[in-house]
Amino acid sequence: MKKSKPELREAIVDTAVAIAERSSWEAVRLFDVATELAISLDDIRIYFREKEDLVDAWFDRADSQMLKAAETVEFLSLSPREQLHHLIITWLDALAAHRKVTRQMIGAKLEPGHLHIQIPAVMRISRTVQWMREAAQRDATFLRRALEETALTTIYLATFVYWMRDESENFQRTRDFLEQKLQMAESLDRLMYGTSHKETTTDSAADPGSAPEISAAIESAPLTEPVTSRTHAKSG
């Protein structure tokens, strides 16, 4: 049965990863992918301009799984720090079955002289972090947004690097490492910004005259505190 366009696109990625598991990502050639799928190189070109685009598609899958994880009522019941932890771990779990190949993909991007690959890779990281912020419904602006993005990017990349070499069961050491980094970020944010949004809102219920303090707290809510109420989600 002929595959639909979305199915063929996914099959191309799956086949490339399967070939890499048997050999290495460096050894993957698009003509081998075409041969295994009994399609032409031009069929592949419709979906992917070059082999490097397959890497983007591979990480797009992780982005997709991460966003789906944020669409449940259970996710919204988590604390802000737990939400960030859940999003990053979900992203990593989406790649875990082929961690060796994922590591090889990253290694290829870091090879000297591959600036044409490395610059888009930076944009790729930024895109994932932006989706992560959207999933957590972060709406900081200006300087606070920039600081938040920098902190989240640093934590995400550090955890990714740690995960690639973690041999513990269910990547428990990575989970602990991430929790430690998020706790550290939360402590630093509280030191910089003071009282959290939740604490100020609770206090204001007993003191109707504290509206100015509420506005100030919302403006300076830390990285791991919610800025706006989460009011919608799919059950799942």
Side-chain angles (χ1 to χ4, degrees):
M1 180 181 295
K2 186 176 181 180
K3 290 182 172 60
S4 67
K5 289 184 177 180
E7 288 175 338
L8 181 55
R9 187 179 190 278
E10 293 305 304
I12 292 169
V13 177
D14 288 338
T15 302
V17 171
I19 292 173
E21 284 287 358
R22 298 196 301 263
S23 52
S24 69
W25 182 250
E26 174 64 24
V28 172
R29 295 295 179 266
L30 295 181
F31 58 77
D32 289 328
V33 175
T35 298
E36 291 208 10
L37 288 173
I39 59 177
S40 69
L41 282 173
D42 195 45
D43 289 329
I44 293 178
R45 187 186 62 82
I46 292 173
Y47 303 97
F48 304 103
R49 296 168 299 178
E50 58 183 347
K51 176 182 168 182
E52 191 60 28
D53 287 349
L54 295 172
V55 178
D56 281 341
W58 179 240
F59 289 128
D60 281 343
R61 289 187 179 184
D63 287 353
S64 178
Q65 288 300 310
M66 177 182 68
L67 295 177
K68 289 177 181 177
E71 294 177 350
T72 65
V73 173
E74 290 77 7
F75 176 79
L76 299 188
S77 70
L78 299 175
S79 71
R81 188 176 74 230
E82 289 171 337
Q83 287 183 345
L84 291 173
H85 190 282
H86 185 63
L87 290 171
I88 294 175
I89 291 299
T90 298
W91 193 90
L92 294 172
D93 283 347
L95 308 174
H98 299 286
R99 188 174 59 146
K100 182 187 74 172
V101 174
T102 300
R103 187 164 59 234
Q104 292 171 352
M105 289 175 176
I106 297 299
K109 286 180 177 290
L110 296 178
E111 288 183 358
H114 285 188
L115 286 177
H116 65 292
I117 295 176
Q118 292 161 1
I119 292 175
V122 172
M123 301 303 296
R124 162 83 248 181
I125 293 168
S126 176
R127 186 161 67 246
T128 294
V129 170
Q130 292 305 321
W131 280 122
M132 199 177 293
R133 293 184 68 252
E134 293 290 343
Q137 298 185 22
R138 305 301 305 172
D139 62 357
T141 57
F142 301 113
L143 178 60
R144 183 166 152 267
R145 174 187 56 76
L147 292 173
E148 181 176 295
E149 289 176 359
T150 300
L152 189 54
T153 300
T154 301
I155 292 171
Y156 157 65
L157 287 177
T159 304
F160 190 15
V161 171
Y162 193 96
W163 170 84
M164 285 195 288
R165 296 294 180 182
D166 183 9
E167 300 300 333
S168 63
E169 184 176 357
N170 198 29
F171 305 111
Q172 187 58 50
R173 291 179 182 173
T174 296
R175 297 170 190 272
D176 294 341
F177 175 86
L178 175 57
E179 177 63 20
Q180 181 185 43
K181 298 307 178 186
L182 290 172
Q183 287 180 348
M184 185 181 301
E186 185 175 62
S187 296
L188 290 173
D189 283 336
R190 287 182 180 276
L191 181 63
M192 291 175 61
Y193 296 115
T195 306
S196 73
H197 174 46
K198 278 186 176 179
E199 291 167 347
T200 306
T201 303
T202 301
D203 292 343
S204 68
D207 182 8
S210 60
E213 286 78 5
I214 295 175
S215 297
I218 292 175
E219 178 61 25
S220 60
L223 171 64
T224 53
E225 286 295 334
V227 180
T228 55
S229 299
R230 274 72 167 174
T231 58
H232 65 280
K234 300 177 184 176
S235 59

